[in-house]
Amino acid sequence: NNKEFALTLIEQGHAKLHYKIAKKFQNFEIYKTAEEKARKQLKGLWETFDFEAEKQAMLAPVERQVVSEASASKGKSKDPFPIIVTDIRSGNTFSYQIQNEETSALNELSISLQNENFARHPHHAPKKGEIIAAQYTMDDLWYRAEVLSLVSKGKELAFDYEVKYIDYGNREVLPHSRIRQLDQEFVDLMKPQAYDGKLVGVKTPEEDDAKDAIEGFKELVSGRTLYALEISTENTAPKGTKGTQLTHNVVLTDKDKDLGLELIANGYTRVDKRLKQDDPLYALYHEAEEYARRERFGIWQYGHNPDSEEEREVERQLLR
């Protein structure tokens, strides 16, 4: 009937697509839509299909060998190292501590800070870049912090302070009453223990989906021993500012599964378009994204998620 027999098989659930090959078809989207419909209606083979097993089978191949290849392809030869994620700022940016003797000694430093006899009222007005003692608003304890910027309160010489807790990576804005001058011995005792990280090949969503990506990231790292493989580093300091703000581009695994792949497969994030086709992670990440898109997970719940402000503006125009 002038209709491709393969498409009929897909529509009736008697066959499924081989995505790596089918993507080359001119009418790939027609085949893809047909399979999505058959899966949703549980036609044919989909009636007894184990969707959870499919997901686990897709995640399982991402082992240390894959990320080692990714590292080697970018000129790195270091082994993965154990970390604890201490702060999550988006679906692909976070801070972490490397698990070693220094992080074990951090507890002793924290105890010493709590026992320090700080002045009852602040007398010191810190400058940008200075290491100070900051009283964290969540527990009222003192931690080492760096002043990132002075935030005007609209009054002459009245400021709040944006700080970064240098041993944990989280940031917040504090009033002057929660700032104290820190003796140099506390600064010299050990180097900052927090490192800024970014997941390689992972793009975080914007607007409404950003919070879901953060919560998904938190859920996936909770209670897991993670290993980071550094692929590269970059200076992410804002343009026009002096100094270096080093970000470590990493692949995170728990020895078996790649965390970036899990974020993509669950629809929390998507593949970064800057990931090159010859990268060992490229095919795996795109397969995970296709899976999340097909299952309407997370950002793909409506079947499409604009990847740029230009695409979002086109979408707004069509909806008017």
Side-chain angles (χ1 to χ4, degrees):
N1 298 323
N2 295 320
K3 185 176 181 180
E4 295 181 29
F5 184 61
L7 181 59
T8 300
L9 290 175
I10 295 291
E11 289 175 337
Q12 295 180 7
H14 297 313
K16 59 181 181 177
L17 286 178
H18 188 299
Y19 274 82
K20 290 183 180 179
I21 297 175
K23 278 185 176 180
K24 300 175 183 179
F25 296 172
Q26 281 188 334
N27 54 353
F28 168 67
E29 290 298 327
I30 296 175
Y31 272 79
K32 177 183 165 187
T33 301
E35 183 181 81
E36 288 175 354
K37 188 175 180 180
R39 286 171 67 103
K40 189 174 182 180
Q41 296 177 354
L42 300 179
K43 286 185 176 181
L45 64 89
W46 303 114
E47 184 177 1
T48 57
F49 190 77
D50 191 336
F51 294 98
E52 182 60 28
E54 178 190 47
K55 180 179 179 181
Q56 294 305 318
M58 179 193 61
L59 294 174
V62 186
E63 300 179 356
R64 186 170 297 186
Q65 179 181 357
V66 174
V67 294
S68 294
E69 289 176 0
S71 179
S73 70
K74 293 177 172 61
K76 295 280 183 179
S77 58
K78 295 181 180 179
D79 291 326
F81 47 88
I83 68 159
I84 289 179
V85 174
T86 54
D87 183 53
I88 295 174
R89 291 179 292 283
S90 75
N92 66 350
T93 57
F94 59 100
S95 293
Y96 62 92
Q97 295 173 348
I98 299 175
Q99 293 301 284
N100 53 29
E101 292 180 358
E102 282 193 328
T103 49
S104 299
L106 187 59
N107 289 332
E108 296 178 16
L109 184 148
S110 179
I111 293 171
S112 298
L113 272 177
Q114 310 320 312
N115 294 329
E116 184 69 4
N117 188 23
F118 291 116
R120 290 188 63 184
H121 302 287
H123 302 292
H124 179 61
K127 298 179 181 179
K128 180 180 177 180
E130 185 176 342
I131 305 300
I132 48 93
Q135 191 177 34
Y136 185 37
T137 56
M138 295 296 289
D139 57 17
D140 288 332
L141 297 179
W142 295 95
Y143 300 93
R144 301 192 302 174
E146 177 187 359
V147 177
L148 298 180
S149 65
L150 277 61
V151 183
S152 175
K153 297 176 69 174
K155 301 178 182 178
E156 188 176 359
L157 300 179
F159 296 96
D160 286 334
Y161 297 87
E162 182 188 7
V163 302
K164 172 186 176 181
Y165 295 97
I166 62 174
D167 297 311
Y168 300 91
N170 51 318
R171 286 90 157 152
E172 69 174 341
V173 176
L174 295 177
H176 194 204
S177 61
R178 287 181 174 268
I179 300 291
R180 296 293 186 275
Q181 189 171 12
L182 188 63
D183 287 344
Q184 190 62 34
E185 64 175 296
F186 284 106
V187 179
D188 297 336
L189 192 60
M190 68 172 61
K191 65 182 182 181
Q193 294 299 296
Y195 298 84
D196 287 340
K198 184 176 182 180
L199 294 176
V200 169
V202 177
K203 180 178 174 61
T204 190
E206 299 178 8
E207 299 177 349
D208 295 339
D209 295 314
K211 290 183 179 179
D212 290 337
I214 292 173
E215 291 305 313
F217 200 159
K218 288 180 179 178
E219 182 181 334
L220 288 175
V221 303
S222 178
R224 293 171 72 173
T225 300
L226 296 174
Y227 292 81
L229 185 73
E230 185 177 303
I231 304 300
S232 63
T233 57
E234 61 180 313
N235 180 15
T236 54
K239 292 183 179 180
T241 60
K242 296 181 180 179
T244 301
Q245 184 175 313
L246 203 61
T247 294
H248 302 262
N249 298 314
V250 300
V251 175
L252 286 188
T253 75
D254 63 358
K255 286 193 174 181
D256 293 316
K257 295 178 182 177
D258 175 347
L259 192 78
L261 185 82
E262 287 191 84
L263 285 167
I264 294 169
N266 282 285
Y268 293 127
T269 60
R270 66 190 306 158
V271 181
D272 191 334
K273 286 184 175 180
R274 292 173 295 180
L275 192 64
K276 296 181 179 178
Q277 288 192 17
D278 60 354
D279 192 297
L281 298 174
Y282 182 89
L284 290 165
Y285 279 17
H286 276 277
E287 183 178 348
E289 183 176 280
E290 192 60 49
Y291 170 79
R293 189 195 300 259
R294 186 172 64 238
E295 297 300 317
R296 298 290 196 266
F297 289 157
I299 60 176
W300 309 108
Q301 61 181 313
Y302 301 116
H304 173 68
N305 186 268
D307 190 31
S308 65
E309 184 55 39
E310 290 78 9
E311 287 185 19
R312 280 187 283 276
E313 182 56 33
V314 169
E315 200 169 71
R316 294 187 196 105
Q317 294 286 346
L318 292 172
L319 291 173
R320 285 175 185 170

